[in-house]
Amino acid sequence: MISPLSNDLFDADGPLVITPPRFGDSRGWFSESYNQRRLAEAGFTTCFVQDNLSFSAHKGTLRGLHYQSPPHAQGKLVGVMTGAIRDVVVDIREGSPSYGRWAAIELSEENGQQLWVPPGFLHGFVTLTDNTRVAYKVTDYYSKEHDGSVAWNDPDLGVDWGVDDPILSDKDAAAPRLKEVAPLFPAGWDGA
């Protein structure tokens, strides 16, 4: 049900893949997309304060790389309601052995997987289908003063999005490189 996104890339406080069980029959399936007690029994005790929904009409829509900095840093639990995405995380915790490294996973309505993106990581996704709906829970409320983006195509990060010419918001198209905004999560930052 819960496993690290990449055993060899991030430390124990890194991103996690959560796969809620599905129960199906001839009508389709049912799944508890979030069950706090079940997750706590598995060692995941994060609390969420807000749910967000995102709709992208076209395949190739890229949203990211986003962050919300301390003291209002956000962790996110991301899942796909309809369609599919290539979901990307980048470790930007100064002093972390995986600083600047990225990983990606496909999340879809088909596989039902969710991605836990801890505070201290950039997050973004590109849609792999038209009419994609993404739902995510966050650990802190939105704060405009702490909200920001890093360039999706920052050459220092080298993220492989699987697209060459994505559909971007004005904010994401003008986002600076990581080295122009770092350190956002300085060494010794406790994650709170």
Side-chain angles (χ1 to χ4, degrees):
M1 179 169 152
I2 298 179
S3 60
L5 174 59
S6 176
N7 284 332
D8 58 344
L9 188 59
F10 301 117
D11 60 25
D13 295 326
L16 301 170
V17 178
I18 299 173
T19 308
R22 285 186 175 177
F23 307 95
D25 60 24
S26 61
R27 302 167 296 163
W29 54 264
F30 169 82
S31 178
E32 291 179 344
S33 61
Y34 177 75
N35 182 311
Q36 185 177 18
R37 181 175 41 216
R38 184 171 293 162
L39 289 171
E41 289 169 356
F44 185 83
T45 58
T46 301
C47 294
F48 298 99
V49 299
Q50 181 176 311
D51 283 351
N52 298 326
L53 298 173
S54 167
F55 172 75
S56 299
H58 303 288
K59 176 180 178 179
T61 298
L62 194 151
R63 298 176 185 268
L65 293 161
H66 298 154
Y67 64 87
Q68 192 162 292
S69 62
H72 295 288
Q74 287 182 329
K76 299 177 182 178
L77 181 61
V78 183
V80 172
M81 298 171 63
T82 57
I85 62 174
R86 179 171 173 80
D87 207 359
V88 172
V89 294
V90 181
D91 187 351
I92 58 167
R93 301 168 298 166
E94 288 281 332
S96 167
S98 55
Y99 180 84
R101 293 187 187 166
W102 64 272
I105 184 174
E106 183 174 319
L107 302 178
S108 70
E109 67 180 299
E110 303 294 321
N111 68 27
Q113 293 181 318
Q114 299 171 335
L115 180 64
W116 163 242
V117 182
F121 284 76
L122 297 173
H123 174 253
F125 63 84
V126 63
T127 57
L128 303 177
T129 64
D130 289 340
N131 301 315
T132 298
R133 291 182 184 161
V134 176
Y136 56 102
K137 296 179 165 316
V138 294
T139 59
D140 201 343
Y141 297 102
Y142 173 74
S143 172
K144 184 175 183 178
E145 296 78 30
H146 300 89
D147 176 58
S149 296
V150 168
W152 68 278
N153 58 351
D154 184 332
D156 296 330
L157 301 177
V159 174
D160 177 6
W161 292 95
V163 295
D164 294 324
D165 190 22
I167 301 165
L168 299 167
S169 69
D170 292 342
K171 171 186 167 182
D172 290 343
R177 292 170 65 174
L178 179 60
K179 68 182 181 183
E180 296 168 349
V181 296
L184 296 165
F185 297 85
W189 175 74
D190 67 1

